Amino acid sequence: MGRILVVEDDHAICALITDILQDAGFETRCVQTDREAYAVIPSLPTIEALILDVNLGSGTTGFDVARFARQVIPELPVIYVSGEASQTNFSAFGVPDSDFVEKPFTPDELLTTLRSRMAA
C-alpha cells in the first residue's frame, strides 16, 4: 500500500504506530531521533508519507524534520502526532497541507488521517 517513515522518540509509541500501519498493509520504518531522520530521508527508496512526533527530545523538532523532508520530497504527505503540542502550534509551525493527530489516538483516527492525506 505504501512506504511510511515514522519518526518517534518513544520506543513504545514507535512500535505501536508501526504495528497499526503494518496491520493495515503499509511498509514502515521507524527512527527515534532527528539525526536518524535526517540521515534516512534522502537515502530511503521513495517514502509515501511521514508520520512524526512534534517533540523529539533533544535536537530539532518534528516541524524541522518535516520541513527538511519536504525539501527532499516536495509533495510528501505529513502527519504530526503529539500529546504536548497543540493545534495552534501545528497551525503556526507545521508544513502546508499536513495534518495533526493528538495523542492518545485510536488506530482508526491515525489510519483515516493517513489515507485522507495520501489521497489528497
Side-chain angles (χ1 to χ4, degrees), residues 56-105:
L56 297 172
S58 64
T60 60
T61 69
F63 295 124
D64 299 312
V65 172
R67 282 191 285 277
F68 173 79
R70 283 277 182 89
Q71 289 176 352
V72 177
I73 308 167
E75 301 300 317
L76 183 67
V78 173
I79 299 171
Y80 299 97
V81 294
S82 182
E84 297 173 15
S86 66
Q87 185 70 33
T88 302
N89 290 33
F90 161 69
S91 298
F93 301 110
V95 296
D97 297 320
S98 58
D99 281 302
F100 177 79
V101 177
E102 189 170 355
K103 293 177 185 174
F105 50 81

Side-chain angles (χ1 to χ4, degrees), residues 14-69:
C14 188
L16 173 68
I17 293 172
T18 297
D19 288 347
I20 291 168
L21 297 174
Q22 287 177 344
D23 287 350
F26 292 98
E27 181 182 334
T28 63
R29 169 134 185 217
C30 189
V31 298
Q32 293 185 276
T33 69
D34 61 333
R35 282 184 279 182
E36 286 179 283
Y38 290 132
V40 302
I41 288 168
S43 67
L44 287 176
T46 303
I47 57 174
E48 296 174 44
L50 176 65
I51 298 175
L52 68 166
D53 191 3
V54 172
N55 299 309
L56 297 172
S58 64
T60 60
T61 69
F63 295 124
D64 299 312
V65 172
R67 282 191 285 277
F68 173 79

Side-chain angles (χ1 to χ4, degrees), residues 99-117:
D99 281 302
F100 177 79
V101 177
E102 189 170 355
K103 293 177 185 174
F105 50 81
T106 67
D108 284 342
E109 287 173 312
L110 183 63
L111 290 170
T112 298
T113 303
L114 176 62
R115 289 181 177 126
S116 172
R117 182 54 47 201

